[in-house]
Structure formats: structure tokens, C-alpha cells
Amino acid sequence: MGLLQRFKGSRSAGSNENGVADGTNGHTASPDTEKGTHEPVKLLSARVISMGLIVSMGGFIFGYDTGQISGFLEMSDFLGRFGNTTKDGKPAFTNARSGTIVALLSIGTLMGAIIAAPIANAIGRKFSIVFWNVIFCVGVIVQISTQHHWYQVAIGRWVAGLGVGALSVLTPMYQSETAPRQIRGALVSCYQLFITLGIFVADCINFGTEKDTTARSWRLPMGLGFIWPVIMSTGILFLPETPRWEYRRGKIDSARATIAKSYGVSEDHWEVRREMREIQEKFEAESAGGGKHTWWEVFTGPRMAYRTLLGMTLQMLQQLTGANFFFYYGTTIFQATGISNSFVTAMILGGVNFGCTFGGLYVVEHFGRRRALIFGGFWMFCCFIVFASIGHYSLNQQNPQATPGAGAAMIVFACLFIAGYAMTWAPIVWAYIGEIYPSRYRALAMGLATASNWTWNFLIAFFTPFITGDIDYRYGYVFAACNFAGAFVTYFFVCETQGKSLEEIDTMYILRVPPWKSSKWVPPSGEDLVTTDKLNLTPGARDIRKEDGPGEGAMERNEG
């Protein structure tokens, strides 16, 4: 007997935590079905806005560090101090050295993303954010204090990467666990918006210092990197811990107060009562299974192997769109096309990326996840085909100034690519992985998905110089194929989540709704929703523990 069939016999439709019928049929309660006060909810309060701005600084830190390294590789003082010497005596980076400097950040972020979840579960989301900001600052100190040792820069980037990777998990986690449900998706997507803002700000600062022939050209942008973690770690101290974490630690009154302040209502408001009841039900269901739940339940839980691997695949494909090909090496790329000041081009790309991400916040809520990801995949496929073809067949790579039209066309299609990426795959993937996991597995599953992102981030950052050295701009065909594959994966494996509650999304995956039919799927009426968080799963997530009934034991075994 499968999990779904056994669950249907374990609960009565529409029963509340005490087993009394409440008429909600498993759906989110409304003012008509909840007791309590009913004053209007204040979604865009000063508290919510400040939370969105402060916590999203985690994305800004990542974007700023990504954007600045592209410019450093072409600054004369940075080259002279840390580069190799060519046969004619000029400084230049070998592929191995530039790849190591750029990519060691990604190794750190991979490790940070993996270990962030257990630390956050132990000491809380709030103080974890402060801790990882301190780690990032240590990494910056290691980099900025070096004189002529390139490996010190690389090691410093690895340490800073630990903080960046952890914050890439903690930022969406804190927002999704604290924000009002009506604007949760938009606030989580702000993480990607702040990444693009950080890249753009770094490009602008690099443009302002690149003509300086002293160490100030790169130390000043690097030193300004202290500002962002200080803002975030200081600001988070004035924000509360997430109510989900507080409830699990027995701080129920504090959790209730935090939810009330997030919604801008009294603690007796029906929204507060609804959310507290949901947290209680999920916590009691998780505890009822008995024993200690193991980490591998993210693969053995109900439909969790599918969802965990899907999240990791989407994050991999987000990196394989080729966006970081431009962000990490944009200055170098466009210098090779004959542009007189490649720092200007990098700044233009950063501006397009930032501006179009605002459009992405609209697209994610109005056009659906599936449609946007499929269209974005095909759009970026076309852009990279044209970009790679012009670069390989039309651009004079020995003397780019002889083919100015080809260089200009490459910039145009790079901008068109960035616009499509910023409005589709950039924000939607981050939002999607925050929606498809049940709460009991969300921290670890998001950590694995983010680790996949950073793994491929490292591979692209490290191997790009070697690949472009061998096949030049034909590298773009590789990214074009990956974008086509992204559209394919979306059509056959990604369910539409627009307009659905987290419980409905969980039910949709458990019921194995075909992704291409998911846009029209509606939850069954008159039945309790089948969700992972309502199943009293035993350790290992292979069985369901049920209360003893007449003539039956405490547990049914999974026989198929």
C-alpha cells in the first residue's frame, strides 16, 4: 500500500488539529472560517520593507563580488602584481591563474551553501546571517592585505565564498519563513534583483578606478565591499528571528508576535491564528513520526527524490545559460572584440541586467513559471547562436578593430541575452526552488540545490579561459545547447506553481500531476489536501505512523 493510499485512511477530510471538522477541506483558511479580529492587513509596512532591503543585501554581496573580479583582471596594477610575464615582458594572466582566482570563490560558496542549513537550524537564521557576514569580511581582509602573492587573493576569495554561499541559502530562507504569504514570492525574488544591483554597482566603481595605475584601482572597490556586510549584519540585529525557527524552539509567544508584526495586525487577527495553526500542524506531524529524521529523507520522502534532483538540475541549468560567461569575463571578452573601453561595455551589461530584473518580478507573477522558463530558454538559445556565429565567423580576432560592425553586433546580442536571462531564468529559478519543497525538508533541499548552482559556477569560472583559448567564441554553441535543454526540461519536468499555495504545490507533486497539464490542475474539492507536512512520517520517510485504532497497530508498513 503506497503512502498516498495510507494517508487517505489516516485523516478525515477537513479536520483540524484536534480532529474536529472545520470545513476548510485542507485549504488555506479565510476570514469566514477563522476566528479572531479582521482588521485590514498591512502588507507593505515599514517593517516588511526594511526586512526586504536588509536581508536582500545577501544578494548584493554576491553580485558585488562577482562584478568586481571581472574588472580587476584587466587593471594594470592588479596585472603587474599578480599576473604572469609573457615572452615579450608584458604582464598577463595565464588561463590557470585567472581561472583559479575567479573560481575559488565558487568552491567556498559550494561549501558554505552545504553547511549553512545545519548551522542555521542550530543557532537560528538571524545569528547565522551575522556569523557568515563576519566570515565574508575575513575573506576580504585576506585579499586586500596582500602585496604580490596571487594565491593570497585566491585564498581570500575562497574564505569570502564561504560567506557568500551561506547567505545565498539563508537570504531566501529567512524571507520565505518571515514574509507575509501574499508577497512572499516577490520578496524572495528580490534576492536576484539585489544580485544584479551588486554587479552593476561593482561595474560602475571599476569604471571609476580603472585608469588609476596604483593599487588603489582595485583596493578601493575591494575595500568598499566591507560596507555591504556591515549594513546587513547590523540591520538584521534589529529584526526578529523567523517565527518557524522560534516555534520549533518553544518560543511560541515570540513567534506569534513576529507574525503579527509582519502582517501589521494584532496577535488575535485571523491571519496570525491561521499561520500559527499551520506551523503547529506541520511541527506536530513531523514530531509524530517518532525518532530522529535523517538527512537522506530529502531523497526518500514523498516525491522528494524527483523534487530534489529537479531543483539541483534547474540550478545547474541556470549557470549553464552562460550568463556568468559575461559577468566573470565580460571586460576581457569585449576588449577582444575591439571595444576601446571594455569597462563601459561591462557597465552597460550590468545596467541591462539590473533594469530587466524589474521586469522579471512582473513576469514571475503574471505569465507563470513554465511559460517564462520555456520562452527564456529559446530566447537565450537564439541569442547565443548569433553571438557565437558572429564571433567565430565574422570577427577578425587578430585585429578586431578591422571588423567594428561585428563587435557592435556581438554587444547587441549580449545585451538581448542578458535581458532575456534577467526576466526569466535569473529570478524564477530562485523563486521556484523556494516553492516546491515541503517545510520539513526545505532548508536541506534548498542547500543541495544551491550547492549545485555553485558547483557549476566554479566549473564555468575555472574552465572558461581554457575553453575559449581552444575554441574561441564557439563556446557560445555549448551554452546555446544548454539553453535549449533548459526549455526541454521545463516542459517535461517542471510543474506550474503560479497562483497555488505551498500546500497545493506539494499535493500536485505527490499526485504526480503531468507537468504539461499542471497549469490547468485544480485541487480536488471536498477532500483534504495530501501534503508531506501532514504525513506522520517515520525516520527514513518510508512509513507513516498512525494513531492506534480498534484492531490495528501503531504503524502500517510500506509494501509498495
Side-chain angles (χ1 to χ4, degrees):
M1 184 184 297
L3 286 174
L4 177 57
Q5 285 73 23
R6 291 186 287 117
F7 173 74
K8 286 182 176 179
S10 66
R11 285 180 61 100
S12 299
S15 63
N16 60 22
E17 65 267 21
N18 297 317
V20 180
D22 61 9
T24 62
N25 298 321
H27 296 283
T28 301
S30 67
D32 297 328
T33 59
E34 280 288 355
K35 297 179 181 180
T37 61
H38 294 79
E39 69 264 29
V41 173
K42 302 174 184 177
L43 295 177
L44 295 178
S45 63
R47 173 179 290 271
V48 171
I49 293 173
S50 62
M51 181 195 73
L53 295 176
I54 291 171
V55 180
S56 293
M57 287 302 296
F60 189 98
I61 292 169
F62 167 37
Y64 186 82
D65 202 80
T66 298
Q68 68 178 5
I69 193 62
S70 173
F72 289 173
L73 295 178
E74 299 301 324
M75 291 180 178
S76 58
D77 187 81
F78 196 85
L79 269 169
R81 288 173 181 266
F82 309 116
N84 304 93
T85 303
T86 61
K87 294 180 180 179
D88 56 5
K90 294 182 179 180
F93 282 108
T94 61
N95 292 334
R97 185 169 296 188
S98 64
T100 302
I101 291 175
V102 172
L104 267 186
L105 175 84
S106 302
I107 293 294
T109 53
L110 169 62
M111 298 174 65
I114 293 175
I115 62 179
I119 292 178
N121 288 338
I123 67 174
R125 283 56 163 143
K126 175 178 176 178
F127 291 107
S128 291
I129 288 175
V130 175
F131 171 75
W132 290 111
N133 273 290
V134 173
I135 295 298
F136 175 82
C137 289
V138 171
V140 175
I141 291 173
V142 173
Q143 294 176 72
I144 205 170
S145 61
T146 187
Q147 295 295 327
H148 298 283
H149 301 109
W150 70 271
Y151 50 84
Q152 186 173 335
V153 176
I155 293 173
R157 284 180 59 77
W158 174 78
V159 175
L162 294 172
V164 172
L167 292 176
S168 69
V169 174
L170 294 172
T171 294
M173 185 188 300
Y174 184 98
Q175 290 171 327
S176 63
E177 291 186 354
T178 307
R181 61 186 176 90
Q182 294 89 339
I183 58 173
R184 186 172 296 144
L187 279 179
V188 174
S189 295
C190 281
Y191 173 72
Q192 176 63 30
L193 177 66
F194 271 65
I195 290 176
T196 63
L197 177 60
I199 293 173
F200 178 60
V201 170
D203 289 335
C204 292
I205 294 175
N206 282 346
F207 173 73
T209 64
E210 57 99 5
K211 293 183 179 179
D212 194 326
T213 57
T214 67
R216 185 170 52 186
S217 61
W218 57 273
R219 280 201 172 116
L220 178 59
M222 191 179 288
L224 291 175
F226 283 110
I227 297 176
W228 328 125
V230 168
I231 292 175
M232 186 179 188
S233 56
T234 303
I236 198 71
L237 293 176
F238 295 93
L239 296 177
E241 182 55 82
T242 71
R244 271 76 177 172
W245 188 86
E246 287 186 316
Y247 190 96
R248 290 172 177 273
R249 293 299 184 276
K251 302 177 181 179
I252 299 175
D253 292 336
S254 180
R256 182 182 294 108
T258 298
I259 294 172
K261 291 176 182 178
S262 294
Y263 282 98
V265 295
S266 66
E267 293 185 16
D268 193 43
H269 193 272
W270 73 271
E271 278 278 17
V272 178
R273 294 169 67 93
R274 174 201 61 77
E275 193 149 329
M276 284 296 296
R277 191 188 71 252
E278 287 185 355
I279 295 173
Q280 177 185 354
E281 288 177 347
K282 293 174 180 178
F283 180 69
E284 289 178 349
E286 183 176 341
S287 302
K292 183 178 181 181
H293 291 268
T294 53
W295 66 267
W296 58 78
E297 287 187 20
V298 295
F299 296 103
T300 60
R303 198 63 167 158
M304 280 305 299
Y306 182 99
R307 286 183 273 184
T308 300
L309 293 176
L310 178 61
M312 295 173 69
T313 300
L314 289 175
Q315 288 283 30
M316 174 190 73
L317 289 170
Q318 188 198 57
Q319 285 297 314
L320 290 173
T321 58
N324 279 340
F325 172 63
F326 295 110
F327 296 138
Y328 281 136
Y329 297 101
T331 308
T332 304
I333 292 168
F334 291 110
Q335 188 176 62
T337 64
I339 304 301
S340 58
N341 191 333
S342 54
F343 285 86
V344 174
T345 306
M347 190 165 56
I348 292 172
L349 286 180
V352 171
N353 187 32
F354 173 59
C356 290
T357 302
F358 283 99
L361 300 181
Y362 178 85
V363 168
V364 71
E365 295 296 344
H366 291 82
F367 292 96
R369 280 60 158 164
R370 278 174 54 83
R371 190 185 307 175
L373 289 175
I374 292 171
F375 177 82
F378 286 130
W379 175 272
M380 294 184 292
F381 165 78
C382 295
C383 290
F384 249 122
I385 287 291
V386 176
F387 178 88
S389 298
I390 294 175
H392 180 67
Y393 295 106
S394 299
L395 182 71
N396 186 330
Q397 297 185 34
Q398 282 69 41
N399 184 20
Q401 286 79 6
T403 53
M410 292 178 71
I411 292 175
V412 170
F413 277 94
C415 289
L416 290 174
F417 166 85
I418 294 297
Y421 172 77
M423 288 193 288
T424 57
W425 278 79
I428 292 177
V429 169
W430 286 106
Y432 195 78
I433 65 168
E435 296 174 328
I436 63 174
Y437 303 121
S439 63
R440 72 172 69 181
Y441 301 130
R442 185 169 296 130
L444 182 55
M446 287 183 65
L448 291 174
T450 306
S452 172
N453 182 293
W454 292 118
T455 299
W456 288 92
N457 187 302
F458 162 75
L459 294 173
I460 291 172
F462 184 78
F463 289 107
T464 286
F466 297 97
I467 296 173
T468 55
D470 288 337
I471 63 174
D472 60 71
Y473 292 102
R474 285 175 292 180
Y475 191 24
Y477 294 135
V478 177
F479 293 125
C482 292
N483 283 308
F484 191 90
F488 178 89
V489 168
T490 300
Y491 181 82
F492 286 102
F493 298 100
V494 173
C495 287
E496 181 56 69
T497 60
Q498 180 193 14
K500 296 178 175 65
S501 69
L502 296 180
E503 291 74 23
E504 290 169 351
I505 295 169
D506 191 21
T507 300
M508 188 165 53
Y509 275 102
I510 292 177
L511 295 180
R512 300 175 182 267
V513 175
W516 51 91
K517 296 181 180 179
S518 60
S519 298
K520 298 181 180 179
W521 180 83
V522 293
S525 61
E527 296 183 19
D528 200 5
L529 285 178
V530 183
T531 65
T532 303
D533 288 321
K534 290 180 181 178
L535 300 177
N536 300 337
L537 297 173
T538 60
R542 292 295 188 182
D543 303 298
I544 300 175
R545 184 180 296 277
K546 296 166 56 178
E547 295 182 359
D548 289 352
E552 62 182 1
M555 187 189 306
E556 290 189 10
R557 301 296 301 173
N558 184 6
E559 301 172 357

